[in-house]
Amino acid sequence: MIENKHTEYKQQVTPEIEKEVVAFLNSNEGGIIYVGIDNAGNIVGIEDIDQVQLHFKDRLKNNILPSCMGLFDLVTEKQQDKNVLKIIVAGGYEKPYYIRKYGMSEKGAFIRIGSSSEPMPTREIERLFTKRTRHSISNIKSAKQDLQFQQLHIYYQGVGKILSPQFAKNLELLTEDNTYNYVGYLMNDTNTISIKVAKYEGIDRVNLVESNEYGFESLVKATQQVLDKLNLENKTLTRITSKEREEIRIWNEISLREAVVNAFVHNDYSRELAPKFELFDDRLEITSNGGLPEGLSKEEFFEGFSVPRNKEIMRIFKDLDLVEQLGSGIPRILQFYKKESFQFSENFLRIVLPRNVDEKGVQEGGHVGGQEGGQVGGQVNLSKIELTPTQNQVFRLIVENPKISRRELAENLKINESAIQKHINNLKEKKVIERVGKTNGYWEIK
């Protein structure tokens, strides 16, 4: 492995590491910093990695302007049995980013050139500053200031986190003059944002057979409701062949979840429009407002480079386990669907998920709908238990294979084992599953 435009190695957290982060923030597509790998690409590892993560997050929060919270992700990896910290940095919308103590100068602002981070010329600093997005939703004052956040508190409590009295400031729900911004408006208990899930008979928009309207509430709750609705529509189908019974969901579960969450996180709310979801006989269409971010090409988009349009929403969704890892959504969708599923225009981005199978010759239910549905429906009434999307995925994998290991769960869901353990603990606390035995044990569905 060698360093390049998108990759930087650090043997340890150095005093200059903010410089590397700033350079990636100021690029169009961001990049990755590995801590615990030397310049030659040798794995050296780092001790006390949990403490290093906390220390590093605090440094980035306090030492870089504009705020980069929601634009970076810290991931622990095992390489050659040694701990390595992977820092994923997205390209920012509010360039130029700079180190606080040096200000917006060549000493504080940097840009990535090849495999190194170089001072940004004064002329480029001035050019970027004049283009800085002043109409991002964090800078738009909410027309309503009497906001309530009971729903947001409940969702944070659901993942074992408590919002402090300063949560509005910490989550960047305030403008510079300490009034609620549009992010706060979207996250509060009531708003005017309408989110529609429409169902049509046939393959065009002529015969509308069902229209569900969500929204008018915290964006987090609306997202969960849309996920729940589409999960109900995503039935298990069974095809009987001469050799075996084939079971398949209408849409791949992981891709469906990623596509829905991406639409909410990256939607351009400055137009006061929400994403929309449309079901047809042959496909699902998910449309979000706003095309590709400026400076990001289609190739970079498909490769997973991230330029979050709404970093504040991204941060909250990641806190609540709705987003697994920066830049992971599109590559995960592309594991099951072609690039042609994405349609781009100047003002919209649409993903079209075709049905995996035709219903002709296919039964709903069968082995999964009967055995698993009976087992799960009989033993666990999931409608009365609030699970996050990831907890639900972990639960389903355990139902399918009660002897599945934590490592296998992590590989299936493309997240680290420590995150899997957290979800398992939550399922155990909710009395959904219980471990029977140790080394050669299995999971029992309660």
Side-chain angles (χ1 to χ4, degrees):
M1 298 187 295
I2 59 173
E3 292 181 324
N4 55 43
K5 181 181 180 182
H6 302 123
T7 307
E8 177 74 23
Y9 299 137
K10 292 291 180 186
Q11 186 165 331
Q12 58 187 352
V13 177
T14 65
E16 299 82 24
I17 202 163
E18 283 92 345
K19 165 185 168 183
E20 312 297 344
V21 174
V22 164
F24 283 133
L25 288 167
N26 283 327
S27 68
N28 289 330
E29 61 278 356
I32 298 174
I33 303 169
Y34 290 93
V35 182
I37 302 179
D38 66 21
N39 291 336
N42 301 310
I43 312 298
V44 296
I46 51 179
E47 301 294 334
D48 197 5
I49 195 163
D50 292 334
Q51 185 61 36
V52 170
Q53 285 194 67
L54 291 173
H55 174 65
F56 186 73
K57 181 177 180 180
D58 189 59
R59 281 177 56 174
L60 296 190
K61 176 182 178 181
N62 295 310
N63 296 347
I64 294 177
L65 290 176
S67 170
C68 63
M69 299 302 290
L71 294 175
F72 67 90
D73 198 4
L74 306 179
V75 181
T76 301
E77 291 188 351
K78 277 279 189 182
Q79 297 191 24
Q80 299 178 8
D81 292 325
K82 296 176 181 177
N83 286 323
V84 171
L85 180 61
K86 180 181 180 182
I87 306 163
I88 305 168
V89 184
Y93 249 80
E94 298 178 281
K95 301 178 181 71
Y97 291 84
Y98 56 93
I99 298 172
R100 180 192 292 265
K101 70 177 180 179
Y102 296 121
M104 201 183 303
S105 65
E106 292 188 12
K107 197 173 180 181
F110 298 88
I111 191 69
R112 195 76 177 174
I113 299 177
S115 61
S116 64
S117 299
E118 303 292 340
M120 182 181 291
T122 301
R123 181 176 295 180
E124 180 67 5
I125 293 173
E126 293 173 349
R127 185 187 72 82
L128 289 174
F129 183 72
T130 58
K131 289 181 63 177
R132 178 180 288 180
T133 304
R134 289 298 182 183
H135 297 291
S136 66
I137 57 175
S138 63
N139 295 326
I140 299 175
K141 182 178 178 180
S142 170
K144 177 184 175 184
Q145 289 294 310
D146 182 22
L147 305 185
Q148 302 295 322
F149 297 94
Q150 183 178 359
Q151 294 170 11
L152 192 63
H153 278 274
I154 290 171
Y155 278 103
Y156 267 83
Q157 291 168 9
V159 295
K161 299 175 182 177
I162 303 297
L163 290 175
S164 71
Q166 294 79 35
F167 77 92
K169 180 179 180 181
N170 293 336
L171 297 180
E172 300 182 76
L173 309 183
L174 303 174
T175 63
E176 292 181 356
D177 59 359
N178 285 324
T179 58
Y180 284 115
N181 60 22
Y182 203 72
V183 185
Y185 178 70
L186 291 173
M187 292 297 162
N188 103 102
D189 294 343
T190 58
N191 56 51
T192 58
I193 302 299
S194 170
I195 299 161
K196 294 180 173 60
V197 179
K199 189 173 184 179
Y200 297 92
E201 184 177 23
I203 60 173
D204 53 32
R205 294 177 174 82
V206 174
N207 191 7
L208 177 66
V209 295
E210 184 180 332
S211 180
N212 297 279
E213 191 168 20
Y214 304 101
F216 308 110
E217 59 196 354
S218 172
L219 196 66
V220 175
K221 186 175 182 180
T223 303
Q224 293 282 13
Q225 289 181 328
V226 171
L227 283 168
D228 290 343
K229 168 60 179 174
L230 294 179
N231 280 332
L232 285 175
E233 295 288 341
N234 193 22
K235 299 172 184 175
T236 299
L237 305 178
T238 302
R239 185 192 301 276
I240 307 299
T241 69
S242 58
K243 294 184 178 179
E244 60 184 3
R245 185 197 308 261
E246 296 178 358
E247 296 154 359
I248 193 168
R249 301 293 290 271
I250 296 176
W251 299 285
N252 174 264
E253 291 176 275
I254 295 174
S255 299
L256 176 62
R257 175 181 173 278
E258 294 290 349
V260 171
V261 172
N262 275 356
F264 276 100
V265 170
H266 297 291
N267 187 74
D268 184 358
Y269 294 98
S270 66
R271 308 177 187 185
E272 297 189 56
L273 297 172
K276 65 177 180 178
F277 306 85
E278 298 172 294
L279 294 149
F280 301 87
D281 285 354
D282 64 341
R283 69 195 187 278
L284 165 65
E285 291 189 2
I286 300 175
T287 306
S288 56
N289 301 284
L292 281 176
E294 183 180 353
L296 189 71
S297 67
K298 291 181 182 179
E299 290 73 21
E300 291 164 341
F301 172 84
F302 288 128
E303 288 175 21
F305 292 112
S306 182
V307 185
R309 179 173 273 113
N310 307 299
K311 63 183 178 67
E312 301 84 7
I313 296 177
M314 172 72 80
R315 177 188 177 184
I316 292 170
F317 275 40
K318 191 170 188 309
D319 283 349
L320 299 175
D321 296 327
L322 285 165
V323 175
E324 295 293 352
Q325 184 175 304
L326 272 178
S328 65
I330 302 305
R332 295 177 81 179
I333 294 172
L334 291 175
Q335 288 182 331
F336 300 94
Y337 297 96
K338 297 179 180 179
K339 292 180 180 180
E340 289 72 25
S341 298
F342 292 85
Q343 300 174 1
F344 304 89
S345 72
E346 183 179 352
N347 298 310
F348 298 97
L349 193 157
R350 173 174 291 165
I351 178 171
V352 181
L353 301 182
R355 296 178 68 95
N356 280 331
V357 290
D358 296 324
E359 289 194 71
K360 185 178 180 180
V362 177
Q363 295 181 296
E364 293 182 11
H367 175 71
V368 173
Q371 178 180 318
E372 180 182 316
Q375 179 186 10
V376 175
Q379 296 182 26
V380 182
N381 187 351
L382 290 178
S383 65
K384 295 183 179 180
I385 302 175
E386 282 200 7
L387 300 182
T388 68
T390 304
Q391 289 168 13
N392 190 55
Q393 288 178 313
V394 171
F395 174 73
R396 294 295 176 184
L397 288 170
I398 288 173
V399 168
E400 292 172 9
N401 177 14
K403 291 188 175 182
I404 194 168
S405 68
R406 188 174 66 176
R407 178 180 58 80
E408 290 170 329
L409 286 167
E411 290 174 353
N412 269 279
L413 299 180
K414 302 292 190 299
I415 58 180
N416 59 50
E417 290 187 35
S418 61
I420 287 293
Q421 187 60 55
K422 181 178 70 173
H423 295 308
I424 287 174
N425 291 341
N426 285 329
L427 290 173
K428 289 164 71 175
E429 288 171 5
K430 293 175 182 178
K431 303 188 184 303
V432 175
I433 61 173
E434 182 176 312
R435 185 69 179 175
V436 179
K438 294 183 179 180
T439 305
N440 296 314
Y442 62 92
W443 293 105
E444 182 180 272
I445 308 302
K446 299 299 294 179

